[in-house]
Amino acid sequence: MTDSQVSVQRIPFHLMTKPRGAICNLDCQYCYFLSKERLYPGSDFRMSETVLEEYTRQYIESQPVDEITFAWQGGEPTLMGLDFYRQAVSYQQKHRKPGMRILNTLQTNAVTLDDDWCAFFREHDFLIGVSLDGPQPLHDAYRVDKGGAPTFERVMKGIRLLQKHGVEFNILTTIHAANGDHPLTIYRFLRDDVKASFIQFIPIVERANETGFQEGSAVTPRSVGAEQYGRFLTAVFDEWVRRDVGRVFVQIFDVALAAWFGDRPGLCIFEETCGSALALEHNGDVYSCDHFVEPKHFVGNLINIPLSEIVVSDQQRTFGLAKRETLPAYCRACPVKFVCNGGCPKDRFISTPDGEPGLNYLCAGYRMFFTHIDEPMRFMAEQLRQRRAPAGVMFWQRAKDEALAARFAAAGRNDPCPCGSGLKFKKCHGRRGSETEAGPAP
C-alpha cells in the first residue's frame, strides 16, 4: 500500500449513531425515521456490547484528528438505558489514543430525563440536543406520544432538569406547516422563556410516499413551504441582528458568517460535497447519510468491513461527489451559491425554471434569506478580519434603522417607499405597524 493510499483511508468523518435504531417513545407526525423500523423485521433494536466496543475502537482508530465526537441519536437514544452510556464512556477511555479529546453529543426528546440522567451528562460533559418546536400549541401540533397525547410539559420538565444540573444543551426546532408562520413567537420563546443560547432551525421537507425513503417529488401538507421557510429565517435574523449577536447563537447564522468570511460553511448541507457524515444502525450497519437510511445507500457493516474502508469506498465517494456534480446550471450561476451549494441532496427533487432537474425544494427560501442578510454579513465578516467582535453589527444596524426612520417620517403617501421595494409608501411601510410576526420593519 502506498503512502497516498494510507492518507486517503484516514479522512475525518462523522457518524450519527442509533443504538436503538428507529425505536422511539414518541410518535411525531413528521418524523422521517420511524419507518426505518421496517428495515429490520424481528430485531430487538438494541446495540450489543460487541458492536458498541467494535464501533468505539474503529471510530477512534480511523480518525486522523485529535478531537472526535460520538453522536448518539435515534429514534430515542435514552431508551437504551443509562448503563449503556456508562459502558460507552468506559470503552471510549479504553481505546482513546494518547492526547485525544473525546466528546459526546446526544439528541433527545427530553421526555425520559431525570436527575440520574442529567447528573451523568454533567459528569461526562455531554452536549444535549433537545427537540422543541416552540410554545405549547406549536410544539404539540405534531410532537405527540404513542397515544397521541401532547408532550410539551414533559419536554420542558426535561429542559429544566438539564439546567438544574448545569448540562450544556442546544435546542433543535423543526420548522413545518404548523409553526412556520410564527418566527418571532418561537424565537422569543426560546430566547426568553427557555433561556436557550444555541438554536438550530431544521426545515421539515417530508416526501409523500409509502416507502419512507427519499423518493418522489410530492411533499406532505406538514412540510414547510420554501418561501415560508425563507420568511421565517429572515424575520428571526432581523430581530437577532438588532439585539442578540454574541448572546444567542443560531446555527444557520453562524454557517452564513463563516461563508461570508471566506471559510467553508462547516455544515454538511451547505458544503460543496458531502459523504463524510454517515449513519450507524444498532447492528453495525452503515448508511451513506442519516437521511438516506435505505437499502440502496447501505455501504457495509463494521463487523465485516472496517469503518476506515467504508468511508472511502467507491460507493460512498460517488454519493458525496454527486452533490456537486449534479448541481443544476441555475444553481451554479446563483449569487448565493458560495453559501448554499445547492443545499441537502435529500431536498433536491424539483426542477429549475428552465426544466433542469435537481433543484432544492427550499431554493426560493434559501435565496430569499441569503440575499436578505448579505449586507450585515459583509459587515460582520469585515469586523472579523479586523479582529473586532461581530456584535458591532448591532450598532451599525441601529444607525441604518434611524436613518431609514427619518426617511419614512418625511415620505408622502404617494412617494416611492424609502425601503426600495418599488411600491408607493402608502402601499408598503406606510400601512405597516413598526413590527409584525413577519419581523421588525427595516
Side-chain angles (χ1 to χ4, degrees):
M1 183 177 293
T2 68
D3 290 343
S4 62
Q5 288 174 315
V6 171
S7 65
V8 166
Q9 286 187 327
R10 289 176 54 80
I11 62 170
F13 64 96
H14 183 72
L15 283 175
M16 281 288 193
T17 306
K18 300 171 181 294
R20 278 289 263 154
I23 302 303
C24 190
N25 53 338
L26 301 190
D27 196 17
C28 301
Q29 294 174 28
Y30 54 66
C31 182
Y32 69 94
F33 212 79
L34 294 178
S35 64
K36 309 304 181 185
E37 183 177 349
R38 298 197 296 263
L39 292 173
Y40 297 97
S43 173
D44 64 357
F45 293 96
R46 294 189 65 86
M47 181 174 283
S48 68
E49 282 202 27
T50 298
V51 172
L52 174 61
E53 181 165 19
E54 189 62 18
Y55 154 53
T56 304
R57 182 188 65 79
Q58 289 190 34
Y59 189 58
I60 290 173
E61 287 185 357
S62 59
Q63 296 284 359
V65 291
D66 294 329
E67 179 176 296
I68 63 171
T69 298
F70 285 82
W72 308 99
Q73 203 189 44
E76 174 50 43
T78 61
L79 296 182
M80 283 300 294
L82 190 48
D83 285 344
F84 173 85
Y85 294 97
R86 292 192 178 106
Q87 186 64 70
V89 169
S90 176
Y91 284 145
Q92 290 169 11
Q93 294 308 308
K94 175 181 176 181
H95 295 288
R96 182 175 64 89
K97 299 175 186 176
M100 172 175 277
R101 185 183 183 208
I102 294 178
L103 306 173
N104 284 273
T105 66
L106 185 143
Q107 183 176 334
T108 179
N109 55 46
V111 168
T112 61
L113 300 186
D114 58 20
D115 285 307
D116 289 342
W117 274 107
C118 294
F120 172 82
F121 292 150
R122 181 69 179 89
E123 178 184 359
H124 296 285
D125 295 322
F126 272 56
L127 171 62
I128 306 302
V130 178
S131 297
L132 177 66
D133 283 359
Q136 186 163 6
L138 300 178
H139 174 88
D140 286 339
Y142 296 138
R143 296 193 66 81
V144 295
D145 65 18
K146 296 296 186 184
T151 62
F152 176 83
E153 294 293 347
R154 285 176 281 172
V155 175
M156 290 302 298
K157 180 181 177 182
I159 290 173
R160 298 310 179 205
L161 282 169
L162 292 169
Q163 292 171 326
K164 169 187 169 184
H165 287 270
V167 178
E168 187 176 356
F169 68 94
N170 296 346
I171 294 294
L172 289 73
T173 299
T174 59
I175 309 305
H176 43 69
N179 69 2
D181 290 333
H182 304 280
L184 297 183
T185 296
I186 291 172
Y187 178 64
R188 290 168 182 170
F189 169 74
L190 298 179
R191 180 191 67 199
D192 300 334
D193 296 342
V194 180
K195 309 296 183 187
S197 298
F198 299 89
I199 303 169
Q200 298 179 38
F201 294 122
I202 304 169
I204 292 297
V205 180
E206 183 186 24
R207 303 284 188 94
N209 61 50
E210 298 299 320
T211 66
F213 301 151
Q214 304 294 351
E215 298 173 349
S217 59
V219 299
T220 68
R222 291 183 289 264
S223 300
V224 69
E227 293 187 357
Q228 182 184 33
Y229 186 54
R231 291 191 298 270
F232 183 99
L233 294 176
T234 296
V236 174
F237 180 86
D238 283 349
E239 172 129 329
W240 174 84
V241 80
R242 287 169 168 83
R243 56 164 292 170
D244 294 324
V245 181
R247 186 167 74 97
V248 178
F249 299 88
V250 179
Q251 184 186 54
I252 194 169
F253 302 166
D254 290 343
V255 166
L257 182 55
W260 258 269
F261 184 67
D263 289 340
R264 290 171 54 180
L267 183 65
C268 63
I269 64 172
F270 295 128
E271 292 285 357
E272 187 177 28
T273 61
C274 60
S276 61
L278 302 88
L280 175 67
E281 263 289 350
H282 64 288
N283 67 340
D285 284 352
V286 181
Y287 293 85
S288 290
C289 171
D290 177 53
H291 289 286
F292 289 92
V293 175
E294 47 193 80
K296 66 181 178 181
H297 293 293
F298 169 73
V299 285
N301 186 293
L302 61 79
I303 299 300
N304 304 316
I305 307 172
L307 278 175
S308 59
E309 295 181 17
I310 289 175
V311 297
V312 296
S313 65
D314 289 343
Q315 180 182 350
Q316 187 63 10
R317 288 167 64 85
T318 298
F319 173 85
L321 291 172
K323 181 181 182 185
R324 179 182 64 202
E325 294 175 354
T326 61
L327 194 65
Y330 179 80
C331 296
R332 294 197 297 271
C334 179
V336 297
K337 175 190 172 294
F338 73 99
V339 59
C340 174
N341 284 309
C344 184
K346 80 177 182 66
D347 298 329
R348 284 169 49 178
F349 55 83
I350 65 173
S351 297
T352 66
D354 58 0
E356 188 177 0
L359 185 66
N360 196 299
Y361 166 84
L362 294 169
C363 172
Y366 282 140
R367 190 165 185 146
M368 174 195 304
F369 170 65
F370 288 131
T371 299
H372 177 80
I373 66 175
D374 178 67
E375 192 175 6
M377 280 294 167
R378 287 178 184 273
F379 180 90
M380 285 189 283
E382 186 57 32
Q383 291 288 98
L384 286 174
R385 293 186 188 96
Q386 296 179 18
R387 300 184 181 275
R388 297 176 180 172
V393 72
M394 292 186 288
F395 299 99
W396 172 85
Q397 186 67 58
R398 185 178 307 156
K400 282 197 65 180
D401 289 346
E402 290 172 353
L404 191 56
R407 293 172 61 195
F408 285 151
R413 283 172 48 80
N414 292 310
D415 291 341
C417 187
C419 77
S421 66
L423 299 174
K424 289 184 178 181
F425 181 63
K426 66 182 180 183
K427 296 289 188 180
C428 191
H429 281 78
R431 69 175 184 179
R432 299 182 187 178
S434 62
E435 189 173 302
T436 68
E437 180 62 45

